[in-house]
Amino acid sequence: QKEVEQNSGPLSVPEGAIASLNCTYSDRGSQSFFWYRQYSGKSPELIMSIYSNGDKEDGRFTAQLNKASQYVSLLIRDSQPSDSATYLCAVNAGEYGNKLVFGAGTILRVKS
Amino acid sequence: ETGVTQTPRHLVMGMTNKKSLKCEQHLGHNAMYWYKQSAKKPLELMFVYSLEERVENNSVPSRFSPECPNSSHLFLHLHTLQPEDSALYLCASSQGRGRNTIYFGEGSWLTVV
């Protein structure tokens, strides 16, 4: 079983719609969860971090965490063409929580 | 600009060459990482250094040799690589362990011919 799983997509949404990206993880001991955005040919950039069950909102982005279900999601409201990218889910792991394990990423395409 | 600088940005090397990738972080962090990103594969963690001590080595072939002389600098020495080692190599840093947000450099594109 992969440690962090994401649907590879592509997920296509029209401009202005809500994009919903999902991620599951295998390590019940994980405490920190992150969403990164990666444009083609660029390095990943942090969008959101979440540590507690529930929702965390930052502008058009909402991260949701359910530790019991080992599930993390990212909602993007009012999607824009500039949101088109690969979204990487990352979960901390390791004995000291000192490394991040990444999913393969979901490709998001926002059509204008 | 993330505060993590990698050089060179692009590198083409033959299988018998020896080269090095360099990373410098200006964020005051005390942990540094090398990740490898190949086409259509998840980011793979290669090495973790915390306070200049290597704390993670994910079964990386010995043709990759990391060096961390201080908490701000990290190198990846490359020798006798294979074409399948062609990838984007990402350096990253974070402050401590646990709830550590990792910040990536721009990456070094490596092509082995």
Side-chain angles (χ1 to χ4, degrees), chain A residues 3-62:
Chain A
E3 293 186 72
V4 180
E5 294 210 43
Q6 296 180 255
N7 187 321
S8 62
L11 172 66
S12 293
V13 300
E15 184 175 358
I18 295 175
S20 178
L21 305 163
N22 305 313
C23 170
T24 58
Y25 60 94
S26 61
D27 185 355
R28 285 194 170 275
S30 296
Q31 297 294 321
S32 305
F33 308 87
F34 305 86
W35 284 99
Y36 285 81
R37 176 176 63 199
Q38 186 173 25
Y39 292 112
S40 180
K42 300 293 186 181
S43 62
E45 56 178 328
L46 180 70
I47 298 176
M48 295 277 289
S49 59
I50 186 167
Y51 309 109
S52 304
N53 279 329
D55 294 359
K56 179 181 178 182
E57 186 175 321
D58 183 0
R60 295 187 297 112
F61 299 97
T62 299

